[in-house]
Short mmCIF file of all heavy atoms in Angstrom, two decimals:
data_model
loop_
_atom_site.label_atom_id
_atom_site.label_comp_id
_atom_site.label_asym_id
_atom_site.label_seq_id
_atom_site.Cartn_x
_atom_site.Cartn_y
_atom_site.Cartn_z
N MET C 9 0.84 -1.19 0.00
CA MET C 9 0.00 0.00 0.00
C MET C 9 0.87 1.24 0.00
O MET C 9 0.83 2.07 0.90
CB MET C 9 -0.87 0.01 1.25
CG MET C 9 -2.09 -0.84 1.21
SD MET C 9 -3.44 -0.31 0.18
CE MET C 9 -3.96 1.20 0.84
N SER C 10 1.68 1.39 -0.96
CA SER C 10 2.46 2.61 -1.03
C SER C 10 1.93 3.48 -2.16
O SER C 10 1.60 3.00 -3.23
CB SER C 10 3.94 2.29 -1.27
OG SER C 10 4.09 1.73 -2.55
N GLN C 11 1.84 4.77 -1.89
CA GLN C 11 1.38 5.71 -2.90
C GLN C 11 2.58 6.45 -3.46
O GLN C 11 3.53 6.72 -2.73
CB GLN C 11 0.42 6.73 -2.29
CG GLN C 11 -0.91 6.13 -1.87
CD GLN C 11 -1.83 7.18 -1.28
OE1 GLN C 11 -1.39 8.01 -0.51
NE2 GLN C 11 -3.09 7.12 -1.67
N SER C 12 2.49 6.74 -4.70
CA SER C 12 3.59 7.50 -5.29
C SER C 12 3.47 8.97 -4.87
O SER C 12 2.44 9.42 -4.40
CB SER C 12 3.56 7.38 -6.81
OG SER C 12 2.44 8.04 -7.32
N LEU C 13 4.54 9.70 -5.04
CA LEU C 13 4.58 11.10 -4.64
C LEU C 13 3.58 11.94 -5.44
O LEU C 13 2.95 12.85 -4.91
CB LEU C 13 5.99 11.65 -4.82
CG LEU C 13 6.23 13.07 -4.31
CD1 LEU C 13 5.94 13.15 -2.82
CD2 LEU C 13 7.66 13.49 -4.58
N SER C 14 3.39 11.59 -6.72
CA SER C 14 2.48 12.38 -7.55
C SER C 14 1.03 12.20 -7.10
O SER C 14 0.25 13.15 -7.12
CB SER C 14 2.65 12.01 -9.02
OG SER C 14 2.31 10.64 -9.20
N SER C 15 0.64 11.03 -6.65
CA SER C 15 -0.73 10.85 -6.21
C SER C 15 -0.97 11.57 -4.88
O SER C 15 -2.06 12.03 -4.61
CB SER C 15 -1.07 9.37 -6.09
OG SER C 15 -0.33 8.78 -5.04
N LEU C 16 0.04 11.66 -4.03
CA LEU C 16 -0.10 12.39 -2.77
C LEU C 16 -0.26 13.89 -3.02
O LEU C 16 -1.09 14.55 -2.41
CB LEU C 16 1.12 12.16 -1.88
CG LEU C 16 1.17 10.85 -1.13
CD1 LEU C 16 2.47 10.73 -0.35
CD2 LEU C 16 0.00 10.71 -0.20
N SER C 17 0.52 14.42 -3.93
CA SER C 17 0.45 15.86 -4.18
C SER C 17 -0.84 16.24 -4.89
O SER C 17 -1.33 17.35 -4.71
CB SER C 17 1.66 16.32 -4.99
OG SER C 17 1.63 15.70 -6.25
N SER C 18 -1.43 15.34 -5.65
CA SER C 18 -2.67 15.68 -6.34
C SER C 18 -3.85 15.72 -5.36
O SER C 18 -4.85 16.35 -5.63
CB SER C 18 -2.95 14.71 -7.47
OG SER C 18 -3.21 13.43 -6.92
N SER C 19 -3.73 15.06 -4.22
CA SER C 19 -4.82 15.08 -3.24
C SER C 19 -4.75 16.31 -2.34
O SER C 19 -5.69 16.58 -1.61
CB SER C 19 -4.81 13.82 -2.41
OG SER C 19 -3.63 13.78 -1.63
N THR C 20 -3.64 17.04 -2.40
CA THR C 20 -3.52 18.23 -1.58
C THR C 20 -4.30 19.37 -2.21
O THR C 20 -4.12 19.65 -3.40
CB THR C 20 -2.03 18.64 -1.47
OG1 THR C 20 -1.29 17.55 -0.96
CG2 THR C 20 -1.85 19.85 -0.57
N PRO C 21 -5.19 20.02 -1.46
CA PRO C 21 -5.96 21.12 -2.06
C PRO C 21 -5.08 22.30 -2.40
O PRO C 21 -4.19 22.67 -1.65
CB PRO C 21 -6.98 21.48 -0.99
CG PRO C 21 -6.41 20.94 0.28
CD PRO C 21 -5.55 19.78 -0.08
N ALA C 22 -5.37 22.89 -3.55
CA ALA C 22 -4.61 24.06 -3.99
C ALA C 22 -5.15 25.30 -3.29
O ALA C 22 -6.34 25.40 -3.03
CB ALA C 22 -4.74 24.22 -5.50
N PRO C 23 -4.28 26.24 -2.94
CA PRO C 23 -4.75 27.48 -2.33
C PRO C 23 -5.62 28.27 -3.29
O PRO C 23 -5.42 28.22 -4.51
CB PRO C 23 -3.48 28.24 -1.98
CG PRO C 23 -2.41 27.61 -2.79
CD PRO C 23 -2.83 26.20 -3.09
N ILE C 24 -6.59 28.97 -2.75
CA ILE C 24 -7.50 29.76 -3.58
C ILE C 24 -6.83 31.09 -3.91
O ILE C 24 -6.35 31.79 -3.02
CB ILE C 24 -8.82 30.02 -2.84
CG1 ILE C 24 -9.51 28.70 -2.51
CG2 ILE C 24 -9.74 30.93 -3.65
CD1 ILE C 24 -10.69 28.85 -1.58
N ALA C 25 -6.82 31.42 -5.17
CA ALA C 25 -6.24 32.69 -5.60
C ALA C 25 -7.33 33.75 -5.61
O ALA C 25 -8.36 33.60 -6.25
CB ALA C 25 -5.64 32.54 -6.99
N ILE C 26 -7.13 34.82 -4.83
CA ILE C 26 -8.08 35.93 -4.80
C ILE C 26 -7.47 37.08 -5.58
O ILE C 26 -6.41 37.59 -5.24
CB ILE C 26 -8.35 36.37 -3.35
CG1 ILE C 26 -8.93 35.20 -2.55
CG2 ILE C 26 -9.32 37.55 -3.33
CD1 ILE C 26 -9.10 35.49 -1.08
N PRO C 27 -8.11 37.49 -6.67
CA PRO C 27 -7.55 38.58 -7.48
C PRO C 27 -7.56 39.90 -6.71
O PRO C 27 -8.45 40.16 -5.89
CB PRO C 27 -8.47 38.64 -8.69
CG PRO C 27 -9.71 37.94 -8.29
CD PRO C 27 -9.35 36.96 -7.22
N VAL C 28 -6.56 40.73 -6.98
CA VAL C 28 -6.43 42.01 -6.29
C VAL C 28 -7.63 42.91 -6.58
O VAL C 28 -8.11 43.64 -5.71
CB VAL C 28 -5.12 42.70 -6.71
CG1 VAL C 28 -5.02 44.09 -6.12
CG2 VAL C 28 -3.93 41.87 -6.28
N ARG C 29 -8.18 42.83 -7.79
CA ARG C 29 -9.36 43.64 -8.14
C ARG C 29 -10.54 43.34 -7.23
O ARG C 29 -11.37 44.21 -7.00
CB ARG C 29 -9.77 43.38 -9.58
CG ARG C 29 -8.85 43.97 -10.58
CD ARG C 29 -9.34 43.68 -11.97
NE ARG C 29 -9.10 44.85 -12.81
CZ ARG C 29 -9.76 45.11 -13.90
NH1 ARG C 29 -10.71 44.31 -14.32
NH2 ARG C 29 -9.49 46.18 -14.61
N ALA C 30 -10.62 42.11 -6.72
CA ALA C 30 -11.72 41.78 -5.81
C ALA C 30 -11.46 42.28 -4.40
O ALA C 30 -12.40 42.46 -3.63
CB ALA C 30 -11.92 40.27 -5.79
N LEU C 31 -10.20 42.51 -4.07
CA LEU C 31 -9.87 42.95 -2.72
C LEU C 31 -9.91 44.46 -2.56
O LEU C 31 -10.14 44.96 -1.46
CB LEU C 31 -8.47 42.46 -2.35
CG LEU C 31 -8.30 40.96 -2.14
CD1 LEU C 31 -6.86 40.63 -1.84
CD2 LEU C 31 -9.20 40.46 -1.04
N VAL C 32 -9.70 45.20 -3.63
CA VAL C 32 -9.57 46.66 -3.54
C VAL C 32 -10.83 47.33 -2.97
O VAL C 32 -10.72 48.14 -2.05
CB VAL C 32 -9.19 47.26 -4.92
CG1 VAL C 32 -9.37 48.77 -4.92
CG2 VAL C 32 -7.76 46.92 -5.25
N PRO C 33 -12.04 47.03 -3.43
CA PRO C 33 -13.22 47.69 -2.84
C PRO C 33 -13.37 47.40 -1.35
O PRO C 33 -13.72 48.29 -0.57
CB PRO C 33 -14.39 47.12 -3.62
CG PRO C 33 -13.82 46.58 -4.86
CD PRO C 33 -12.43 46.16 -4.53
N ARG C 34 -13.09 46.18 -0.94
CA ARG C 34 -13.19 45.84 0.48
C ARG C 34 -12.11 46.55 1.29
O ARG C 34 -12.36 46.99 2.41
CB ARG C 34 -13.08 44.33 0.66
CG ARG C 34 -14.30 43.60 0.15
CD ARG C 34 -14.04 42.11 0.00
NE ARG C 34 -15.23 41.39 -0.40
CZ ARG C 34 -15.64 41.26 -1.65
NH1 ARG C 34 -14.94 41.79 -2.62
NH2 ARG C 34 -16.74 40.60 -1.94
N ALA C 35 -10.93 46.69 0.74
CA ALA C 35 -9.85 47.39 1.43
C ALA C 35 -10.18 48.87 1.58
O ALA C 35 -9.97 49.46 2.64
CB ALA C 35 -8.53 47.20 0.68
N VAL C 36 -10.73 49.48 0.53
CA VAL C 36 -11.11 50.90 0.59
C VAL C 36 -12.21 51.10 1.63
O VAL C 36 -12.17 52.04 2.44
CB VAL C 36 -11.55 51.40 -0.80
CG1 VAL C 36 -12.21 52.76 -0.72
CG2 VAL C 36 -10.37 51.42 -1.74
N PHE C 37 -13.21 50.22 1.63
CA PHE C 37 -14.29 50.30 2.60
C PHE C 37 -13.75 50.17 4.03
O PHE C 37 -14.15 50.92 4.93
CB PHE C 37 -15.34 49.21 2.32
CG PHE C 37 -16.45 49.18 3.32
CD1 PHE C 37 -17.42 50.17 3.33
CD2 PHE C 37 -16.53 48.16 4.24
CE1 PHE C 37 -18.44 50.14 4.25
CE2 PHE C 37 -17.55 48.12 5.17
CZ PHE C 37 -18.52 49.11 5.18
N THR C 38 -12.83 49.25 4.24
CA THR C 38 -12.24 49.05 5.57
C THR C 38 -11.46 50.27 6.02
O THR C 38 -11.55 50.69 7.17
CB THR C 38 -11.34 47.81 5.56
OG1 THR C 38 -12.12 46.68 5.16
CG2 THR C 38 -10.74 47.56 6.92
N VAL C 39 -10.71 50.89 5.10
CA VAL C 39 -9.93 52.08 5.46
C VAL C 39 -10.87 53.24 5.81
O VAL C 39 -10.66 53.93 6.81
CB VAL C 39 -8.99 52.46 4.30
CG1 VAL C 39 -8.43 53.86 4.49
CG2 VAL C 39 -7.86 51.45 4.20
N ILE C 40 -11.93 53.45 5.02
CA ILE C 40 -12.88 54.54 5.30
C ILE C 40 -13.56 54.32 6.65
O ILE C 40 -13.66 55.22 7.47
CB ILE C 40 -13.90 54.66 4.16
CG1 ILE C 40 -13.22 55.20 2.90
CG2 ILE C 40 -15.06 55.58 4.55
CD1 ILE C 40 -14.08 55.18 1.67
N LEU C 41 -14.01 53.09 6.88
CA LEU C 41 -14.67 52.77 8.16
C LEU C 41 -13.72 52.96 9.33
O LEU C 41 -14.11 53.49 10.38
CB LEU C 41 -15.19 51.33 8.11
CG LEU C 41 -16.33 50.98 9.04
CD1 LEU C 41 -17.56 51.80 8.72
CD2 LEU C 41 -16.64 49.50 8.93
N SER C 42 -12.46 52.57 9.15
CA SER C 42 -11.47 52.73 10.22
C SER C 42 -11.19 54.20 10.50
O SER C 42 -11.03 54.59 11.65
CB SER C 42 -10.17 52.02 9.85
OG SER C 42 -10.41 50.66 9.65
N LEU C 43 -11.12 55.02 9.45
CA LEU C 43 -10.88 56.44 9.66
C LEU C 43 -12.05 57.12 10.36
O LEU C 43 -11.85 57.99 11.22
CB LEU C 43 -10.59 57.13 8.32
CG LEU C 43 -9.24 56.79 7.70
CD1 LEU C 43 -9.11 57.44 6.33
CD2 LEU C 43 -8.11 57.21 8.60
N ILE C 44 -13.27 56.72 10.02
CA ILE C 44 -14.45 57.27 10.71
C ILE C 44 -14.41 56.87 12.18
O ILE C 44 -14.64 57.70 13.07
CB ILE C 44 -15.74 56.80 10.03
CG1 ILE C 44 -15.87 57.46 8.66
CG2 ILE C 44 -16.96 57.10 10.88
CD1 ILE C 44 -17.00 56.91 7.81
N LEU C 45 -14.11 55.62 12.45
CA LEU C 45 -14.02 55.15 13.84
C LEU C 45 -12.90 55.87 14.57
O LEU C 45 -13.07 56.29 15.73
CB LEU C 45 -13.79 53.65 13.87
CG LEU C 45 -13.76 53.01 15.25
CD1 LEU C 45 -15.11 53.17 15.93
CD2 LEU C 45 -13.41 51.54 15.15
N LEU C 46 -11.78 56.06 13.91
CA LEU C 46 -10.66 56.78 14.54
C LEU C 46 -11.03 58.22 14.82
O LEU C 46 -10.64 58.79 15.85
CB LEU C 46 -9.43 56.71 13.64
CG LEU C 46 -8.13 57.27 14.22
CD1 LEU C 46 -7.69 56.42 15.39
CD2 LEU C 46 -7.05 57.32 13.17
N TYR C 47 -11.81 58.85 13.92
CA TYR C 47 -12.26 60.21 14.19
C TYR C 47 -13.12 60.24 15.45
O TYR C 47 -12.92 61.08 16.33
CB TYR C 47 -13.05 60.77 13.00
CG TYR C 47 -13.77 62.04 13.40
CD1 TYR C 47 -13.08 63.23 13.48
CD2 TYR C 47 -15.11 62.01 13.75
CE1 TYR C 47 -13.71 64.39 13.90
CE2 TYR C 47 -15.76 63.16 14.16
CZ TYR C 47 -15.05 64.34 14.24
OH TYR C 47 -15.68 65.47 14.66
N PHE C 48 -14.08 59.35 15.55
CA PHE C 48 -14.99 59.38 16.70
C PHE C 48 -14.25 59.07 17.99
O PHE C 48 -14.60 59.60 19.04
CB PHE C 48 -16.17 58.44 16.49
CG PHE C 48 -17.27 59.05 15.67
CD1 PHE C 48 -17.51 58.63 14.38
CD2 PHE C 48 -18.03 60.08 16.19
CE1 PHE C 48 -18.50 59.20 13.62
CE2 PHE C 48 -19.03 60.67 15.43
CZ PHE C 48 -19.27 60.23 14.14
N VAL C 49 -13.26 58.21 17.93
CA VAL C 49 -12.50 57.89 19.15
C VAL C 49 -11.57 59.05 19.49
O VAL C 49 -11.45 59.44 20.65
CB VAL C 49 -11.71 56.58 18.98
CG1 VAL C 49 -10.78 56.37 20.14
CG2 VAL C 49 -12.67 55.41 18.86
N GLY C 50 -10.92 59.64 18.51
CA GLY C 50 -9.86 60.58 18.80
C GLY C 50 -10.20 62.04 18.77
O GLY C 50 -9.55 62.83 19.44
N ALA C 51 -11.21 62.45 18.01
CA ALA C 51 -11.41 63.88 17.82
C ALA C 51 -12.84 64.35 18.11
O ALA C 51 -13.12 65.51 17.95
CB ALA C 51 -11.05 64.27 16.40
N GLU C 52 -13.73 63.45 18.48
CA GLU C 52 -15.12 63.82 18.74
C GLU C 52 -15.23 64.44 20.14
O GLU C 52 -15.67 63.82 21.08
CB GLU C 52 -16.02 62.61 18.60
CG GLU C 52 -17.49 62.87 18.86
CD GLU C 52 -18.17 63.72 17.80
OE1 GLU C 52 -17.59 63.90 16.73
OE2 GLU C 52 -19.27 64.20 18.07
N GLN C 53 -14.74 65.68 20.24
CA GLN C 53 -14.77 66.35 21.54
C GLN C 53 -14.59 67.84 21.31
O GLN C 53 -13.80 68.26 20.47
CB GLN C 53 -13.63 65.83 22.43
CG GLN C 53 -13.62 66.43 23.82
CD GLN C 53 -12.42 65.96 24.64
OE1 GLN C 53 -11.46 65.45 24.10
NE2 GLN C 53 -12.51 66.10 25.93
N GLY C 54 -15.31 68.62 22.08
CA GLY C 54 -15.11 70.08 22.06
C GLY C 54 -15.42 70.71 20.72
O GLY C 54 -16.46 70.47 20.13
N ALA C 55 -14.48 71.54 20.22
CA ALA C 55 -14.71 72.32 19.01
C ALA C 55 -14.83 71.45 17.77
O ALA C 55 -15.46 71.83 16.80
CB ALA C 55 -13.58 73.33 18.83
N THR C 56 -14.20 70.29 17.76
CA THR C 56 -14.26 69.43 16.58
C THR C 56 -15.44 68.47 16.63
O THR C 56 -15.56 67.61 15.77
CB THR C 56 -12.97 68.63 16.44
OG1 THR C 56 -12.83 67.79 17.59
CG2 THR C 56 -11.76 69.53 16.31
N SER C 57 -16.30 68.62 17.58
CA SER C 57 -17.40 67.67 17.77
C SER C 57 -18.47 67.86 16.69
O SER C 57 -18.92 68.97 16.42
CB SER C 57 -18.01 67.87 19.15
OG SER C 57 -19.06 66.97 19.35
N LEU C 58 -18.87 66.80 16.05
CA LEU C 58 -19.95 66.83 15.06
C LEU C 58 -21.30 66.63 15.73
O LEU C 58 -22.31 67.14 15.26
CB LEU C 58 -19.74 65.74 14.01
CG LEU C 58 -18.56 65.91 13.05
CD1 LEU C 58 -18.50 64.71 12.11
CD2 LEU C 58 -18.68 67.18 12.26
N ILE C 59 -21.32 65.86 16.79
CA ILE C 59 -22.57 65.55 17.47
C ILE C 59 -22.52 66.22 18.84
O ILE C 59 -21.60 65.97 19.62
CB ILE C 59 -22.75 64.02 17.61
CG1 ILE C 59 -22.76 63.37 16.23
CG2 ILE C 59 -24.03 63.70 18.38
CD1 ILE C 59 -22.68 61.87 16.25
N SER C 60 -23.50 67.09 19.11
CA SER C 60 -23.48 67.80 20.39
C SER C 60 -23.79 66.84 21.53
O SER C 60 -24.43 65.81 21.35
CB SER C 60 -24.51 68.93 20.36
OG SER C 60 -25.80 68.39 20.20
N GLY C 61 -23.30 67.22 22.68
CA GLY C 61 -23.50 66.37 23.85
C GLY C 61 -22.28 65.52 24.12
O GLY C 61 -21.28 65.57 23.39
N HIS C 62 -22.34 64.76 25.19
CA HIS C 62 -21.19 63.98 25.61
C HIS C 62 -21.38 62.48 25.39
O HIS C 62 -20.52 61.69 25.76
CB HIS C 62 -20.90 64.22 27.10
CG HIS C 62 -20.50 65.62 27.40
ND1 HIS C 62 -19.21 66.08 27.20
CD2 HIS C 62 -21.21 66.68 27.85
CE1 HIS C 62 -19.15 67.36 27.54
NE2 HIS C 62 -20.35 67.75 27.94
N GLU C 63 -22.48 62.08 24.76
CA GLU C 63 -22.78 60.65 24.67
C GLU C 63 -21.74 59.90 23.84
O GLU C 63 -21.26 58.85 24.25
CB GLU C 63 -24.17 60.43 24.07
CG GLU C 63 -25.31 60.80 25.00
CD GLU C 63 -25.60 62.29 25.00
OE1 GLU C 63 -25.13 62.99 24.08
OE2 GLU C 63 -26.27 62.76 25.95
N VAL C 64 -21.38 60.44 22.67
CA VAL C 64 -20.41 59.76 21.81
C VAL C 64 -19.04 59.72 22.49
O VAL C 64 -18.35 58.70 22.49
CB VAL C 64 -20.32 60.44 20.42
CG1 VAL C 64 -19.23 59.83 19.59
CG2 VAL C 64 -21.65 60.36 19.72
N HIS C 65 -18.67 60.84 23.08
CA HIS C 65 -17.38 60.90 23.75
C HIS C 65 -17.30 59.90 24.90
O HIS C 65 -16.30 59.20 25.05
CB HIS C 65 -17.13 62.32 24.27
CG HIS C 65 -15.87 62.44 25.06
ND1 HIS C 65 -14.63 62.55 24.46
CD2 HIS C 65 -15.63 62.45 26.39
CE1 HIS C 65 -13.70 62.63 25.39
NE2 HIS C 65 -14.28 62.58 26.58
N GLU C 66 -18.35 59.83 25.69
CA GLU C 66 -18.34 58.90 26.81
C GLU C 66 -18.37 57.45 26.33
O GLU C 66 -17.79 56.58 26.95
CB GLU C 66 -19.54 59.17 27.74
CG GLU C 66 -19.48 60.51 28.43
CD GLU C 66 -18.24 60.68 29.31
OE1 GLU C 66 -17.77 59.68 29.87
OE2 GLU C 66 -17.74 61.80 29.40
N PHE C 67 -19.05 57.20 25.20
CA PHE C 67 -19.14 55.83 24.69
C PHE C 67 -17.77 55.31 24.25
O PHE C 67 -17.47 54.13 24.43
CB PHE C 67 -20.12 55.79 23.51
CG PHE C 67 -20.37 54.41 22.99
CD1 PHE C 67 -21.12 53.50 23.70
CD2 PHE C 67 -19.84 54.02 21.77
CE1 PHE C 67 -21.35 52.23 23.23
CE2 PHE C 67 -20.06 52.74 21.28
CZ PHE C 67 -20.82 51.85 22.02
N VAL C 68 -16.94 56.17 23.67
CA VAL C 68 -15.63 55.73 23.18
C VAL C 68 -14.51 56.15 24.12
O VAL C 68 -13.34 56.12 23.74
CB VAL C 68 -15.36 56.28 21.76
CG1 VAL C 68 -16.36 55.73 20.77
CG2 VAL C 68 -15.36 57.79 21.74
N HIS C 69 -14.86 56.51 25.36
CA HIS C 69 -13.88 57.09 26.27
C HIS C 69 -12.73 56.13 26.58
O HIS C 69 -11.56 56.53 26.60
CB HIS C 69 -14.58 57.52 27.56
CG HIS C 69 -13.74 58.38 28.42
ND1 HIS C 69 -13.63 58.20 29.77
CD2 HIS C 69 -12.94 59.43 28.14
CE1 HIS C 69 -12.82 59.10 30.26
NE2 HIS C 69 -12.38 59.85 29.30
N ASP C 70 -13.02 54.87 26.82
CA ASP C 70 -11.95 53.92 27.13
C ASP C 70 -11.02 53.71 25.93
O ASP C 70 -9.81 53.59 26.09
CB ASP C 70 -12.54 52.58 27.56
CG ASP C 70 -13.22 52.68 28.93
OD1 ASP C 70 -12.94 53.65 29.65
OD2 ASP C 70 -14.02 51.79 29.25
N GLY C 71 -11.59 53.69 24.74
CA GLY C 71 -10.77 53.57 23.54
C GLY C 71 -9.87 54.77 23.35
O GLY C 71 -8.74 54.67 22.89
N ARG C 72 -10.40 55.93 23.73
CA ARG C 72 -9.62 57.16 23.65
C ARG C 72 -8.37 57.07 24.52
O ARG C 72 -7.26 57.41 24.10
CB ARG C 72 -10.50 58.32 24.11
CG ARG C 72 -9.95 59.66 23.89
CD ARG C 72 -10.99 60.70 24.32
NE ARG C 72 -10.54 62.02 24.03
CZ ARG C 72 -10.75 62.63 22.88
NH1 ARG C 72 -11.42 62.03 21.95
NH2 ARG C 72 -10.27 63.83 22.68
N HIS C 73 -8.53 56.58 25.72
CA HIS C 73 -7.38 56.42 26.61
C HIS C 73 -6.47 55.29 26.14
O HIS C 73 -5.26 55.36 26.27
CB HIS C 73 -7.84 56.18 28.04
CG HIS C 73 -8.32 57.42 28.71
ND1 HIS C 73 -7.48 58.29 29.34
CD2 HIS C 73 -9.57 57.96 28.79
CE1 HIS C 73 -8.19 59.30 29.81
NE2 HIS C 73 -9.46 59.12 29.48
N LEU C 74 -7.08 54.25 25.60
CA LEU C 74 -6.28 53.12 25.11
C LEU C 74 -5.34 53.54 24.00
O LEU C 74 -4.18 53.13 23.97
CB LEU C 74 -7.23 52.01 24.60
CG LEU C 74 -6.54 50.78 23.99
CD1 LEU C 74 -5.86 49.98 25.08
CD2 LEU C 74 -7.57 49.92 23.28
N PHE C 75 -5.81 54.40 23.09
CA PHE C 75 -4.97 54.85 21.98
C PHE C 75 -4.10 56.05 22.34
O PHE C 75 -3.35 56.53 21.50
CB PHE C 75 -5.83 55.17 20.76
CG PHE C 75 -6.43 53.95 20.12
CD1 PHE C 75 -7.78 53.84 19.95
CD2 PHE C 75 -5.62 52.90 19.71
CE1 PHE C 75 -8.34 52.71 19.36
CE2 PHE C 75 -6.16 51.77 19.14
CZ PHE C 75 -7.53 51.67 18.96
N GLY C 76 -4.23 56.56 23.55
CA GLY C 76 -3.35 57.64 24.01
C GLY C 76 -3.73 59.02 23.54
O GLY C 76 -2.89 59.91 23.53
N PHE C 77 -4.99 59.22 23.15
CA PHE C 77 -5.42 60.57 22.79
C PHE C 77 -5.57 61.41 24.05
O PHE C 77 -6.01 60.90 25.07
CB PHE C 77 -6.76 60.53 22.02
CG PHE C 77 -6.65 59.99 20.64
CD1 PHE C 77 -7.09 58.73 20.33
CD2 PHE C 77 -6.09 60.77 19.64
CE1 PHE C 77 -6.98 58.23 19.05
CE2 PHE C 77 -5.98 60.28 18.34
CZ PHE C 77 -6.42 59.01 18.06
N PRO C 78 -5.23 62.70 23.99
CA PRO C 78 -5.43 63.54 25.16
C PRO C 78 -6.91 63.70 25.46
O PRO C 78 -7.72 63.87 24.55
CB PRO C 78 -4.79 64.88 24.74
CG PRO C 78 -4.80 64.85 23.26
CD PRO C 78 -4.68 63.43 22.86
N CYS C 79 -7.23 63.65 26.73
CA CYS C 79 -8.63 63.68 27.10
C CYS C 79 -8.88 64.62 28.27
O CYS C 79 -9.44 65.68 28.10
CB CYS C 79 -9.10 62.27 27.42
SG CYS C 79 -10.84 62.13 27.77
N HIS C 80 -8.45 64.24 29.45
CA HIS C 80 -8.71 65.07 30.62
C HIS C 80 -7.56 64.97 31.59
O HIS C 80 -6.69 64.16 31.44
CB HIS C 80 -10.01 64.66 31.32
CG HIS C 80 -10.11 63.21 31.61
ND1 HIS C 80 -9.59 62.63 32.71
CD2 HIS C 80 -10.66 62.20 30.89
CE1 HIS C 80 -9.84 61.34 32.70
NE2 HIS C 80 -10.46 61.05 31.60
ZN1 ZN F 120 -10.67 60.58 29.60
#
C-alpha cells in the first residue's frame, strides 16, 4: 500500500487565488470605516465635535485612553 509522490500531491488542495481587483473595494471600505471610527474615538470632543452632547465621547472614552489621545 504505497502511494507515489504524484498521487499524494494531487490530493492536496490548492490554495484559492483571490484577485487584487476583488480585494480593492473591500480594502477601501475598511480604510474609510477605520478612519471614521478613529475620528470618533480621537477627535469627537469640544470644538471638533460633530454631534453635540457627551454621549459619543463617553461611549468611546476607554478607547480614547487606550490609543493615548489627550482627554482630561
Ligand atoms: Zn478621559
Side-chain angles (χ1 to χ4, degrees):
M9 280 288 297
S10 67
Q11 292 180 317
S12 68
L13 186 60
S14 62
S15 67
L16 282 177
S17 64
S18 66
S19 65
T20 304
I24 299 170
I26 301 174
V28 175
R29 287 181 142 203
L31 291 178
V32 167
R34 290 165 176 85
V36 169
F37 177 72
T38 302
V39 166
I40 290 172
L41 203 62
S42 300
L43 289 176
I44 290 171
L45 184 63
L46 187 66
Y47 168 78
F48 277 109
V49 171
E52 179 69 14
Q53 182 184 18
T56 61
S57 180
L58 291 179
I59 300 170
S60 63
H62 295 279
E63 288 82 16
V64 175
H65 176 79
E66 294 300 328
F67 185 73
V68 296
H69 193 225
D70 291 342
R72 189 176 185 88
H73 284 274
L74 177 70
F75 290 124
F77 288 106
C79 185
H80 52 84

